[in-house]
Amino acid sequence: MTTTEWITDIALLLIVFRQLREGRLDLRSFLIPLGIVTFVAYSYLDTIPTAGNDLVLITVLVAVGAALGIAGGVHTRVRTVGEHVLIKAGAVAAVLWIVGMGARMGFQLWVEHGGAADVARFSAAHQITSDKAWVAAFVLMALTEVVTRLATIFIRSRSHTVARPAPVLDRTV
């Protein structure tokens, strides 16, 4: 793994630790994780292979990412204090986030340290055509997990926003 890969993987893992402390839901809450996964997607997602069972692999891992993201968003506490919406990731949300983001990192480390032959055999047996399919599947899994978690939190936060009353015009003469 390159230094950049270590930094981005660790940054994605650390995002949830930032949210273990209750904090205000603001634009930064969305932009930081989206920025990191956008960088990862831009850096590593050259193509989405479609031959053999590549799309099946990608679809399965995207579905896993979506399930982890939605579950993580559901297990993030959302509440209103005054005019502010606050969020706090619970233990379940943290574990789900680490499982999802750690899976990609763990898979990459395993492949680089002796697992490549096993992955090659699995790929050949299941008609996965190249390592690009694995890269696309894990990058899209991470992207999907981030987007679905944020979307779930956003949707849940909408029910917590305080409606401000319309200004009353004084019509007295």
Side-chain angles (χ1 to χ4, degrees), residues 2-38:
T2 67
T3 303
T4 303
E5 290 169 335
W6 276 105
I7 290 169
T8 54
D9 286 346
I10 291 170
L12 282 169
L13 285 170
L14 292 177
I15 287 172
V16 78
F17 291 111
R18 180 176 163 255
Q19 293 179 355
L20 287 174
R21 241 184 47 229
E22 187 172 55
R24 196 168 143 196
L25 182 64
D26 56 13
L27 191 57
R28 202 175 43 182
S29 305
F30 295 98
L31 291 182
I32 291 172
L34 287 174
I36 293 170
V37 293
T38 299

PDB file of all heavy atoms in Angstrom, residues 2-38:
ATOM      1  N   THR A   2       0.488   2.225  -0.776  1.00  0.00           N
ATOM      2  CA  THR A   2       1.235   3.473  -0.837  1.00  0.00           C
ATOM      3  C   THR A   2       0.886   4.341   0.368  1.00  0.00           C
ATOM      4  O   THR A   2      -0.100   4.107   1.064  1.00  0.00           O
ATOM      5  CB  THR A   2       0.909   4.251  -2.119  1.00  0.00           C
ATOM      6  OG1 THR A   2      -0.461   4.680  -2.056  1.00  0.00           O
ATOM      7  CG2 THR A   2       1.141   3.408  -3.366  1.00  0.00           C
ATOM      8  N   THR A   3       1.675   5.367   0.572  1.00  0.00           N
ATOM      9  CA  THR A   3       1.409   6.306   1.662  1.00  0.00           C
ATOM     10  C   THR A   3       0.047   6.962   1.482  1.00  0.00           C
ATOM     11  O   THR A   3      -0.714   7.113   2.444  1.00  0.00           O
ATOM     12  CB  THR A   3       2.520   7.381   1.712  1.00  0.00           C
ATOM     13  OG1 THR A   3       3.771   6.717   1.872  1.00  0.00           O
ATOM     14  CG2 THR A   3       2.299   8.341   2.854  1.00  0.00           C
ATOM     15  N   THR A   4      -0.284   7.323   0.255  1.00  0.00           N
ATOM     16  CA  THR A   4      -1.583   7.943  -0.026  1.00  0.00           C
ATOM     17  C   THR A   4      -2.724   6.991   0.320  1.00  0.00           C
ATOM     18  O   THR A   4      -3.733   7.413   0.896  1.00  0.00           O
ATOM     19  CB  THR A   4      -1.677   8.365  -1.510  1.00  0.00           C
ATOM     20  OG1 THR A   4      -0.594   9.235  -1.795  1.00  0.00           O
ATOM     21  CG2 THR A   4      -2.987   9.040  -1.815  1.00  0.00           C
ATOM     22  N   GLU A   5      -2.575   5.712  -0.009  1.00  0.00           N
ATOM     23  CA  GLU A   5      -3.615   4.729   0.311  1.00  0.00           C
ATOM     24  C   GLU A   5      -3.779   4.586   1.821  1.00  0.00           C
ATOM     25  O   GLU A   5      -4.897   4.497   2.317  1.00  0.00           O
ATOM     26  CB  GLU A   5      -3.280   3.373  -0.327  1.00  0.00           C
ATOM     27  CG  GLU A   5      -3.411   3.390  -1.832  1.00  0.00           C
ATOM     28  CD  GLU A   5      -2.835   2.156  -2.499  1.00  0.00           C
ATOM     29  OE1 GLU A   5      -1.929   1.500  -1.915  1.00  0.00           O
ATOM     30  OE2 GLU A   5      -3.280   1.849  -3.610  1.00  0.00           O
ATOM     31  N   TRP A   6      -2.673   4.555   2.550  1.00  0.00           N
ATOM     32  CA  TRP A   6      -2.740   4.475   4.011  1.00  0.00           C
ATOM     33  C   TRP A   6      -3.458   5.698   4.576  1.00  0.00           C
ATOM     34  O   TRP A   6      -4.329   5.579   5.438  1.00  0.00           O
ATOM     35  CB  TRP A   6      -1.337   4.370   4.625  1.00  0.00           C
ATOM     36  CG  TRP A   6      -0.803   2.987   4.669  1.00  0.00           C
ATOM     37  CD1 TRP A   6       0.155   2.457   3.872  1.00  0.00           C
ATOM     38  CD2 TRP A   6      -1.210   1.934   5.555  1.00  0.00           C
ATOM     39  NE1 TRP A   6       0.384   1.141   4.203  1.00  0.00           N
ATOM     40  CE2 TRP A   6      -0.444   0.795   5.238  1.00  0.00           C
ATOM     41  CE3 TRP A   6      -2.141   1.843   6.582  1.00  0.00           C
ATOM     42  CZ2 TRP A   6      -0.570  -0.417   5.909  1.00  0.00           C
ATOM     43  CZ3 TRP A   6      -2.274   0.633   7.254  1.00  0.00           C
ATOM     44  CH2 TRP A   6      -1.497  -0.477   6.915  1.00  0.00           C
ATOM     45  N   ILE A   7      -3.092   6.870   4.082  1.00  0.00           N
ATOM     46  CA  ILE A   7      -3.684   8.107   4.599  1.00  0.00           C
ATOM     47  C   ILE A   7      -5.182   8.146   4.327  1.00  0.00           C
ATOM     48  O   ILE A   7      -5.974   8.465   5.222  1.00  0.00           O
ATOM     49  CB  ILE A   7      -2.975   9.345   4.000  1.00  0.00           C
ATOM     50  CG1 ILE A   7      -1.559   9.449   4.566  1.00  0.00           C
ATOM     51  CG2 ILE A   7      -3.760  10.623   4.279  1.00  0.00           C
ATOM     52  CD1 ILE A   7      -0.671  10.461   3.854  1.00  0.00           C
ATOM     53  N   THR A   8      -5.602   7.815   3.103  1.00  0.00           N
ATOM     54  CA  THR A   8      -7.037   7.880   2.787  1.00  0.00           C
ATOM     55  C   THR A   8      -7.811   6.806   3.553  1.00  0.00           C
ATOM     56  O   THR A   8      -8.912   7.084   4.044  1.00  0.00           O
ATOM     57  CB  THR A   8      -7.301   7.752   1.273  1.00  0.00           C
ATOM     58  OG1 THR A   8      -6.667   6.570   0.771  1.00  0.00           O
ATOM     59  CG2 THR A   8      -6.796   8.958   0.525  1.00  0.00           C
ATOM     60  N   ASP A   9      -7.255   5.599   3.666  1.00  0.00           N
ATOM     61  CA  ASP A   9      -7.949   4.550   4.419  1.00  0.00           C
ATOM     62  C   ASP A   9      -8.091   4.922   5.888  1.00  0.00           C
ATOM     63  O   ASP A   9      -9.152   4.750   6.488  1.00  0.00           O
ATOM     64  CB  ASP A   9      -7.207   3.214   4.286  1.00  0.00           C
ATOM     65  CG  ASP A   9      -7.393   2.566   2.929  1.00  0.00           C
ATOM     66  OD1 ASP A   9      -8.303   2.997   2.186  1.00  0.00           O
ATOM     67  OD2 ASP A   9      -6.635   1.639   2.602  1.00  0.00           O
ATOM     68  N   ILE A  10      -7.031   5.434   6.475  1.00  0.00           N
ATOM     69  CA  ILE A  10      -7.086   5.829   7.884  1.00  0.00           C
ATOM     70  C   ILE A  10      -8.025   7.023   8.070  1.00  0.00           C
ATOM     71  O   ILE A  10      -8.791   7.078   9.038  1.00  0.00           O
ATOM     72  CB  ILE A  10      -5.671   6.108   8.422  1.00  0.00           C
ATOM     73  CG1 ILE A  10      -4.905   4.775   8.506  1.00  0.00           C
ATOM     74  CG2 ILE A  10      -5.723   6.792   9.780  1.00  0.00           C
ATOM     75  CD1 ILE A  10      -3.419   4.919   8.783  1.00  0.00           C
ATOM     76  N   ALA A  11      -7.988   7.972   7.133  1.00  0.00           N
ATOM     77  CA  ALA A  11      -8.898   9.135   7.226  1.00  0.00           C
ATOM     78  C   ALA A  11     -10.351   8.675   7.198  1.00  0.00           C
ATOM     79  O   ALA A  11     -11.185   9.172   7.966  1.00  0.00           O
ATOM     80  CB  ALA A  11      -8.628  10.112   6.090  1.00  0.00           C
ATOM     81  N   LEU A  12     -10.669   7.727   6.326  1.00  0.00           N
ATOM     82  CA  LEU A  12     -12.043   7.217   6.272  1.00  0.00           C
ATOM     83  C   LEU A  12     -12.416   6.506   7.571  1.00  0.00           C
ATOM     84  O   LEU A  12     -13.551   6.622   8.047  1.00  0.00           O
ATOM     85  CB  LEU A  12     -12.221   6.274   5.078  1.00  0.00           C
ATOM     86  CG  LEU A  12     -12.383   6.963   3.729  1.00  0.00           C
ATOM     87  CD1 LEU A  12     -12.273   5.960   2.589  1.00  0.00           C
ATOM     88  CD2 LEU A  12     -13.705   7.707   3.665  1.00  0.00           C
ATOM     89  N   LEU A  13     -11.477   5.781   8.148  1.00  0.00           N
ATOM     90  CA  LEU A  13     -11.767   5.119   9.417  1.00  0.00           C
ATOM     91  C   LEU A  13     -11.948   6.129  10.547  1.00  0.00           C
ATOM     92  O   LEU A  13     -12.785   5.955  11.424  1.00  0.00           O
ATOM     93  CB  LEU A  13     -10.649   4.132   9.777  1.00  0.00           C
ATOM     94  CG  LEU A  13     -10.644   2.836   8.980  1.00  0.00           C
ATOM     95  CD1 LEU A  13      -9.362   2.054   9.258  1.00  0.00           C
ATOM     96  CD2 LEU A  13     -11.860   1.985   9.299  1.00  0.00           C
ATOM     97  N   LEU A  14     -11.177   7.193  10.532  1.00  0.00           N
ATOM     98  CA  LEU A  14     -11.230   8.177  11.618  1.00  0.00           C
ATOM     99  C   LEU A  14     -12.466   9.069  11.582  1.00  0.00           C
ATOM    100  O   LEU A  14     -12.818   9.668  12.600  1.00  0.00           O
ATOM    101  CB  LEU A  14      -9.966   9.040  11.608  1.00  0.00           C
ATOM    102  CG  LEU A  14      -8.684   8.316  11.986  1.00  0.00           C
ATOM    103  CD1 LEU A  14      -7.490   9.253  11.866  1.00  0.00           C
ATOM    104  CD2 LEU A  14      -8.769   7.727  13.387  1.00  0.00           C
ATOM    105  N   ILE A  15     -13.130   9.138  10.435  1.00  0.00           N
ATOM    106  CA  ILE A  15     -14.330   9.976  10.338  1.00  0.00           C
ATOM    107  C   ILE A  15     -15.348   9.597  11.404  1.00  0.00           C
ATOM    108  O   ILE A  15     -15.954  10.448  12.037  1.00  0.00           O
ATOM    109  CB  ILE A  15     -14.955   9.888   8.930  1.00  0.00           C
ATOM    110  CG1 ILE A  15     -14.093  10.659   7.937  1.00  0.00           C
ATOM    111  CG2 ILE A  15     -16.378  10.421   8.915  1.00  0.00           C
ATOM    112  CD1 ILE A  15     -14.510  10.463   6.507  1.00  0.00           C
ATOM    113  N   VAL A  16     -15.539   8.309  11.609  1.00  0.00           N
ATOM    114  CA  VAL A  16     -16.547   7.881  12.577  1.00  0.00           C
ATOM    115  C   VAL A  16     -16.139   8.236  14.000  1.00  0.00           C
ATOM    116  O   VAL A  16     -16.983   8.560  14.829  1.00  0.00           O
ATOM    117  CB  VAL A  16     -16.880   6.377  12.437  1.00  0.00           C
ATOM    118  CG1 VAL A  16     -15.821   5.510  13.057  1.00  0.00           C
ATOM    119  CG2 VAL A  16     -18.237   6.075  13.043  1.00  0.00           C
ATOM    120  N   PHE A  17     -14.839   8.222  14.293  1.00  0.00           N
ATOM    121  CA  PHE A  17     -14.406   8.568  15.647  1.00  0.00           C
ATOM    122  C   PHE A  17     -14.698  10.035  15.948  1.00  0.00           C
ATOM    123  O   PHE A  17     -15.010  10.380  17.076  1.00  0.00           O
ATOM    124  CB  PHE A  17     -12.926   8.245  15.842  1.00  0.00           C
ATOM    125  CG  PHE A  17     -12.673   6.770  15.857  1.00  0.00           C
ATOM    126  CD1 PHE A  17     -11.988   6.163  14.831  1.00  0.00           C
ATOM    127  CD2 PHE A  17     -13.162   5.979  16.884  1.00  0.00           C
ATOM    128  CE1 PHE A  17     -11.772   4.796  14.829  1.00  0.00           C
ATOM    129  CE2 PHE A  17     -12.957   4.608  16.896  1.00  0.00           C
ATOM    130  CZ  PHE A  17     -12.258   4.021  15.865  1.00  0.00           C
ATOM    131  N   ARG A  18     -14.639  10.868  14.923  1.00  0.00           N
ATOM    132  CA  ARG A  18     -15.008  12.281  15.086  1.00  0.00           C
ATOM    133  C   ARG A  18     -16.478  12.397  15.493  1.00  0.00           C
ATOM    134  O   ARG A  18     -16.863  13.284  16.232  1.00  0.00           O
ATOM    135  CB  ARG A  18     -14.749  13.014  13.771  1.00  0.00           C
ATOM    136  CG  ARG A  18     -15.079  14.469  13.802  1.00  0.00           C
ATOM    137  CD  ARG A  18     -14.677  15.116  12.469  1.00  0.00           C
ATOM    138  NE  ARG A  18     -15.335  16.381  12.349  1.00  0.00           N
ATOM    139  CZ  ARG A  18     -16.364  16.625  11.570  1.00  0.00           C
ATOM    140  NH1 ARG A  18     -16.841  15.692  10.788  1.00  0.00           N
ATOM    141  NH2 ARG A  18     -16.917  17.809  11.532  1.00  0.00           N
ATOM    142  N   GLN A  19     -17.296  11.467  14.989  1.00  0.00           N
ATOM    143  CA  GLN A  19     -18.731  11.535  15.251  1.00  0.00           C
ATOM    144  C   GLN A  19     -19.143  10.749  16.492  1.00  0.00           C
ATOM    145  O   GLN A  19     -20.320  10.719  16.825  1.00  0.00           O
ATOM    146  CB  GLN A  19     -19.510  11.062  14.031  1.00  0.00           C
ATOM    147  CG  GLN A  19     -19.353  12.011  12.866  1.00  0.00           C
ATOM    148  CD  GLN A  19     -20.103  11.543  11.644  1.00  0.00           C
ATOM    149  OE1 GLN A  19     -20.673  10.465  11.603  1.00  0.00           O
ATOM    150  NE2 GLN A  19     -20.102  12.379  10.627  1.00  0.00           N
ATOM    151  N   LEU A  20     -18.202  10.128  17.188  1.00  0.00           N
ATOM    152  CA  LEU A  20     -18.546   9.477  18.455  1.00  0.00           C
ATOM    153  C   LEU A  20     -18.851  10.526  19.519  1.00  0.00           C
ATOM    154  O   LEU A  20     -19.539  10.243  20.490  1.00  0.00           O
ATOM    155  CB  LEU A  20     -17.415   8.556  18.927  1.00  0.00           C
ATOM    156  CG  LEU A  20     -17.271   7.255  18.141  1.00  0.00           C
ATOM    157  CD1 LEU A  20     -16.034   6.500  18.594  1.00  0.00           C
ATOM    158  CD2 LEU A  20     -18.513   6.389  18.261  1.00  0.00           C
ATOM    159  N   ARG A  21     -18.314  11.715  19.308  1.00  0.00           N
ATOM    160  CA  ARG A  21     -18.668  12.856  20.149  1.00  0.00           C
ATOM    161  C   ARG A  21     -19.799  13.584  19.455  1.00  0.00           C
ATOM    162  O   ARG A  21     -19.739  13.829  18.252  1.00  0.00           O
ATOM    163  CB  ARG A  21     -17.451  13.797  20.258  1.00  0.00           C
ATOM    164  CG  ARG A  21     -16.968  13.975  21.642  1.00  0.00           C
ATOM    165  CD  ARG A  21     -15.837  14.973  21.780  1.00  0.00           C
ATOM    166  NE  ARG A  21     -16.086  16.216  21.065  1.00  0.00           N
ATOM    167  CZ  ARG A  21     -15.220  16.790  20.242  1.00  0.00           C
ATOM    168  NH1 ARG A  21     -14.054  16.256  20.019  1.00  0.00           N
ATOM    169  NH2 ARG A  21     -15.510  17.921  19.647  1.00  0.00           N
ATOM    170  N   GLU A  22     -20.805  13.907  20.189  1.00  0.00           N
ATOM    171  CA  GLU A  22     -21.943  14.598  19.600  1.00  0.00           C
ATOM    172  C   GLU A  22     -21.497  15.937  19.027  1.00  0.00           C
ATOM    173  O   GLU A  22     -20.738  16.674  19.645  1.00  0.00           O
ATOM    174  CB  GLU A  22     -23.041  14.809  20.637  1.00  0.00           C
ATOM    175  CG  GLU A  22     -24.314  15.359  20.051  1.00  0.00           C
ATOM    176  CD  GLU A  22     -25.432  15.363  21.068  1.00  0.00           C
ATOM    177  OE1 GLU A  22     -25.242  15.955  22.153  1.00  0.00           O
ATOM    178  OE2 GLU A  22     -26.481  14.777  20.780  1.00  0.00           O
ATOM    179  N   GLY A  23     -21.962  16.206  17.830  1.00  0.00           N
ATOM    180  CA  GLY A  23     -21.614  17.470  17.189  1.00  0.00           C
ATOM    181  C   GLY A  23     -22.740  17.943  16.299  1.00  0.00           C
ATOM    182  O   GLY A  23     -23.675  17.209  15.986  1.00  0.00           O
ATOM    183  N   ARG A  24     -22.630  19.168  15.913  1.00  0.00           N
ATOM    184  CA  ARG A  24     -23.643  19.802  15.080  1.00  0.00           C
ATOM    185  C   ARG A  24     -23.593  19.250  13.656  1.00  0.00           C
ATOM    186  O   ARG A  24     -22.523  19.087  13.083  1.00  0.00           O
ATOM    187  CB  ARG A  24     -23.380  21.298  15.072  1.00  0.00           C
ATOM    188  CG  ARG A  24     -24.510  22.104  14.579  1.00  0.00           C
ATOM    189  CD  ARG A  24     -24.254  23.547  14.900  1.00  0.00           C
ATOM    190  NE  ARG A  24     -24.759  24.351  13.802  1.00  0.00           N
ATOM    191  CZ  ARG A  24     -24.466  25.591  13.592  1.00  0.00           C
ATOM    192  NH1 ARG A  24     -23.648  26.211  14.400  1.00  0.00           N
ATOM    193  NH2 ARG A  24     -24.983  26.243  12.601  1.00  0.00           N
ATOM    194  N   LEU A  25     -24.759  18.944  13.120  1.00  0.00           N
ATOM    195  CA  LEU A  25     -24.863  18.503  11.734  1.00  0.00           C
ATOM    196  C   LEU A  25     -24.810  19.754  10.860  1.00  0.00           C
ATOM    197  O   LEU A  25     -25.688  20.607  10.923  1.00  0.00           O
ATOM    198  CB  LEU A  25     -26.176  17.745  11.503  1.00  0.00           C
ATOM    199  CG  LEU A  25     -26.388  17.190  10.098  1.00  0.00           C
ATOM    200  CD1 LEU A  25     -25.338  16.133   9.771  1.00  0.00           C
ATOM    201  CD2 LEU A  25     -27.784  16.581   9.980  1.00  0.00           C
ATOM    202  N   ASP A  26     -23.749  19.852  10.093  1.00  0.00           N
ATOM    203  CA  ASP A  26     -23.593  21.014   9.230  1.00  0.00           C
ATOM    204  C   ASP A  26     -23.010  20.558   7.894  1.00  0.00           C
ATOM    205  O   ASP A  26     -22.818  19.355   7.663  1.00  0.00           O
ATOM    206  CB  ASP A  26     -22.723  22.085   9.888  1.00  0.00           C
ATOM    207  CG  ASP A  26     -21.354  21.576  10.311  1.00  0.00           C
ATOM    208  OD1 ASP A  26     -20.961  20.477   9.889  1.00  0.00           O
ATOM    209  OD2 ASP A  26     -20.673  22.280  11.075  1.00  0.00           O
ATOM    210  N   LEU A  27     -22.729  21.502   7.043  1.00  0.00           N
ATOM    211  CA  LEU A  27     -22.215  21.189   5.710  1.00  0.00           C
ATOM    212  C   LEU A  27     -20.920  20.397   5.782  1.00  0.00           C
ATOM    213  O   LEU A  27     -20.689  19.486   4.986  1.00  0.00           O
ATOM    214  CB  LEU A  27     -22.019  22.492   4.926  1.00  0.00           C
ATOM    215  CG  LEU A  27     -21.732  22.355   3.440  1.00  0.00           C
ATOM    216  CD1 LEU A  27     -22.836  21.580   2.740  1.00  0.00           C
ATOM    217  CD2 LEU A  27     -21.573  23.725   2.813  1.00  0.00           C
ATOM    218  N   ARG A  28     -20.090  20.709   6.748  1.00  0.00           N
ATOM    219  CA  ARG A  28     -18.816  19.999   6.927  1.00  0.00           C
ATOM    220  C   ARG A  28     -19.034  18.516   7.212  1.00  0.00           C
ATOM    221  O   ARG A  28     -18.247  17.666   6.780  1.00  0.00           O
ATOM    222  CB  ARG A  28     -18.046  20.660   8.057  1.00  0.00           C
ATOM    223  CG  ARG A  28     -16.586  20.425   8.028  1.00  0.00           C
ATOM    224  CD  ARG A  28     -15.896  21.213   9.088  1.00  0.00           C
ATOM    225  NE  ARG A  28     -16.655  21.130  10.344  1.00  0.00           N
ATOM    226  CZ  ARG A  28     -16.335  21.729  11.443  1.00  0.00           C
ATOM    227  NH1 ARG A  28     -15.286  22.491  11.482  1.00  0.00           N
ATOM    228  NH2 ARG A  28     -17.061  21.603  12.529  1.00  0.00           N
ATOM    229  N   SER A  29     -20.120  18.185   7.915  1.00  0.00           N
ATOM    230  CA  SER A  29     -20.439  16.794   8.225  1.00  0.00           C
ATOM    231  C   SER A  29     -20.629  15.975   6.956  1.00  0.00           C
ATOM    232  O   SER A  29     -20.413  14.762   6.957  1.00  0.00           O
ATOM    233  CB  SER A  29     -21.719  16.702   9.052  1.00  0.00           C
ATOM    234  OG  SER A  29     -21.652  17.479  10.205  1.00  0.00           O
ATOM    235  N   PHE A  30     -21.046  16.638   5.899  1.00  0.00           N
ATOM    236  CA  PHE A  30     -21.268  15.965   4.624  1.00  0.00           C
ATOM    237  C   PHE A  30     -20.055  16.076   3.697  1.00  0.00           C
ATOM    238  O   PHE A  30     -19.701  15.123   3.022  1.00  0.00           O
ATOM    239  CB  PHE A  30     -22.497  16.552   3.923  1.00  0.00           C
ATOM    240  CG  PHE A  30     -23.778  16.305   4.661  1.00  0.00           C
ATOM    241  CD1 PHE A  30     -24.321  17.272   5.492  1.00  0.00           C
ATOM    242  CD2 PHE A  30     -24.440  15.098   4.548  1.00  0.00           C
ATOM    243  CE1 PHE A  30     -25.496  17.040   6.188  1.00  0.00           C
ATOM    244  CE2 PHE A  30     -25.613  14.850   5.236  1.00  0.00           C
ATOM    245  CZ  PHE A  30     -26.148  15.823   6.065  1.00  0.00           C
ATOM    246  N   LEU A  31     -19.432  17.241   3.677  1.00  0.00           N
ATOM    247  CA  LEU A  31     -18.371  17.495   2.701  1.00  0.00           C
ATOM    248  C   LEU A  31     -17.090  16.723   2.968  1.00  0.00           C
ATOM    249  O   LEU A  31     -16.436  16.272   2.021  1.00  0.00           O
ATOM    250  CB  LEU A  31     -18.073  18.992   2.616  1.00  0.00           C
ATOM    251  CG  LEU A  31     -19.177  19.844   2.005  1.00  0.00           C
ATOM    252  CD1 LEU A  31     -18.748  21.305   1.937  1.00  0.00           C
ATOM    253  CD2 LEU A  31     -19.572  19.339   0.629  1.00  0.00           C
ATOM    254  N   ILE A  32     -16.708  16.546   4.220  1.00  0.00           N
ATOM    255  CA  ILE A  32     -15.451  15.846   4.516  1.00  0.00           C
ATOM    256  C   ILE A  32     -15.496  14.396   4.040  1.00  0.00           C
ATOM    257  O   ILE A  32     -14.633  13.979   3.258  1.00  0.00           O
ATOM    258  CB  ILE A  32     -15.079  15.965   6.013  1.00  0.00           C
ATOM    259  CG1 ILE A  32     -14.698  17.411   6.327  1.00  0.00           C
ATOM    260  CG2 ILE A  32     -13.929  15.014   6.370  1.00  0.00           C
ATOM    261  CD1 ILE A  32     -14.491  17.695   7.798  1.00  0.00           C
ATOM    262  N   PRO A  33     -16.481  13.583   4.452  1.00  0.00           N
ATOM    263  CA  PRO A  33     -16.491  12.201   3.966  1.00  0.00           C
ATOM    264  C   PRO A  33     -16.717  12.113   2.462  1.00  0.00           C
ATOM    265  O   PRO A  33     -16.104  11.275   1.781  1.00  0.00           O
ATOM    266  CB  PRO A  33     -17.611  11.514   4.745  1.00  0.00           C
ATOM    267  CG  PRO A  33     -18.339  12.576   5.470  1.00  0.00           C
ATOM    268  CD  PRO A  33     -17.519  13.805   5.467  1.00  0.00           C
ATOM    269  N   LEU A  34     -17.572  12.974   1.915  1.00  0.00           N
ATOM    270  CA  LEU A  34     -17.787  12.956   0.461  1.00  0.00           C
ATOM    271  C   LEU A  34     -16.527  13.350  -0.291  1.00  0.00           C
ATOM    272  O   LEU A  34     -16.218  12.778  -1.339  1.00  0.00           O
ATOM    273  CB  LEU A  34     -18.948  13.877   0.074  1.00  0.00           C
ATOM    274  CG  LEU A  34     -20.337  13.378   0.439  1.00  0.00           C
ATOM    275  CD1 LEU A  34     -21.388  14.445   0.127  1.00  0.00           C
ATOM    276  CD2 LEU A  34     -20.663  12.080  -0.294  1.00  0.00           C
ATOM    277  N   GLY A  35     -15.794  14.302   0.246  1.00  0.00           N
ATOM    278  CA  GLY A  35     -14.538  14.706  -0.381  1.00  0.00           C
ATOM    279  C   GLY A  35     -13.520  13.583  -0.397  1.00  0.00           C
ATOM    280  O   GLY A  35     -12.839  13.358  -1.408  1.00  0.00           O
ATOM    281  N   ILE A  36     -13.420  12.864   0.704  1.00  0.00           N
ATOM    282  CA  ILE A  36     -12.445  11.768   0.782  1.00  0.00           C
ATOM    283  C   ILE A  36     -12.803  10.661  -0.196  1.00  0.00           C
ATOM    284  O   ILE A  36     -11.944  10.180  -0.948  1.00  0.00           O
ATOM    285  CB  ILE A  36     -12.332  11.231   2.221  1.00  0.00           C
ATOM    286  CG1 ILE A  36     -11.723  12.300   3.130  1.00  0.00           C
ATOM    287  CG2 ILE A  36     -11.489   9.959   2.263  1.00  0.00           C
ATOM    288  CD1 ILE A  36     -11.785  11.968   4.610  1.00  0.00           C
ATOM    289  N   VAL A  37     -14.069  10.240  -0.227  1.00  0.00           N
ATOM    290  CA  VAL A  37     -14.420   9.150  -1.150  1.00  0.00           C
ATOM    291  C   VAL A  37     -14.387   9.611  -2.606  1.00  0.00           C
ATOM    292  O   VAL A  37     -14.105   8.812  -3.495  1.00  0.00           O
ATOM    293  CB  VAL A  37     -15.768   8.466  -0.819  1.00  0.00           C
ATOM    294  CG1 VAL A  37     -15.690   7.720   0.486  1.00  0.00           C
ATOM    295  CG2 VAL A  37     -16.921   9.402  -0.871  1.00  0.00           C
ATOM    296  N   THR A  38     -14.645  10.878  -2.855  1.00  0.00           N
ATOM    297  CA  THR A  38     -14.513  11.396  -4.215  1.00  0.00           C
ATOM    298  C   THR A  38     -13.058  11.327  -4.655  1.00  0.00           C
ATOM    299  O   THR A  38     -12.754  10.919  -5.775  1.00  0.00           O
ATOM    300  CB  THR A  38     -15.038  12.844  -4.306  1.00  0.00           C
ATOM    301  OG1 THR A  38     -16.420  12.835  -3.944  1.00  0.00           O
ATOM    302  CG2 THR A  38     -14.874  13.415  -5.696  1.00  0.00           C
TER     303      THR A  38
END
